Amino acid sequence: MKNKKISIKNYSFFIINFLIFIFIIITIYIFYKRTIETFKPIPDNNDIIFYSYGSEYEKFKTLVKSATVNNINIHINGIGVKWIDFSNKLENFHEFIEKVDDNKIVMSLDAYDVIIFDNADNIKKKFLEFDKPLVFSAEKYCWPDGNIWDKYPNQDNIFKYVNAGTYMGYAWKIKEMLNEFRKTNYNCLTYHTNKYNKKVDDQRCLTKYYLNNLNDIALDNKQKIWSLCAGTKREDYDMTNYNYLYNKITNTKSCILHTNGGNSWYGNLYK
């Protein structure tokens, strides 16, 4: 009789623990299912695809956060890949864009020093106003080949030199440009002098392509799409969260901030 009571007790203990286990499994399943249902990845815009390349995901956080606020999906490439030089960036972008429909608009963004302040529809609208297949961002300094500054048109503009950190255009035109870069293994010769440089720089490539194709490319001198910060101060900009950016230098509302040049005031923007 005693053994029977022990068996019943053990059986009851087993049933209780089994029911607790089932309850835990069901609870986890319901939570997991709800998590999946509430997580809705941002789809690509119908007209614009956003792309960025970098190896360290942690440094993408501000870009991704600002993109999410503005309902923009960014295709991030290069995570975990050892950085060699800018030829990596160009070559990987080339591989990516080869799969994109020719009529799509594509924007290339630097990874760690870019913040988005507007949505894709407004960015598209501003791009179309240029009426060119390619639009490059513009900065105050001629880099990396400062001795060709006088080859640029529109010398009266404050922001008159090509910056390779942010640009956009129709996929067919970007493919055409990158095909040109591939001829020299993405290490372009200096414009005008055709000097070979051991240090690869994508800005040298875009500079040369721009100066050789002035009729096909617009420079965002007024900072309508991108505000380039090298040589500027924090007080030159009004910013609200990730939805308002005003450039006081050009008196223009911009869509994207590119904190190039390593100014000390950038730090607070990435906390």
Side-chain angles (χ1 to χ4, degrees), residues 214-259:
L214 293 174
N215 293 329
D216 293 334
I217 308 170
L219 265 190
D220 188 12
N221 304 115
K222 301 300 181 184
Q223 315 282 275
K224 292 180 179 180
I225 300 176
W226 309 279
S227 276
L228 279 289
C229 297
T232 67
K233 301 175 182 177
R234 173 63 182 86
E235 52 264 35
D236 292 325
Y237 306 94
D238 282 336
M239 300 178 226
T240 304
N241 299 321
Y242 293 131
N243 52 37
Y244 181 79
L245 170 63
Y246 189 80
N247 189 318
K248 296 178 184 178
I249 299 171
T250 59
N251 295 315
T252 304
K253 184 182 177 184
S254 293
C255 301
I256 294 170
L257 189 74
H258 182 191
T259 57

Side-chain angles (χ1 to χ4, degrees), residues 131-134 173 209-218:
D131 196 28
K132 298 285 186 180
L134 269 179
K173 186 62 176 177
Y209 194 76
Y210 168 70
L211 293 173
N212 283 331
N213 298 274
L214 293 174
N215 293 329
D216 293 334
I217 308 170

Side-chain angles (χ1 to χ4, degrees), residues 35-43 71:
T35 302
I36 292 174
E37 288 173 350
T38 55
F39 174 73
K40 296 179 180 179
I42 300 172
N71 201 35

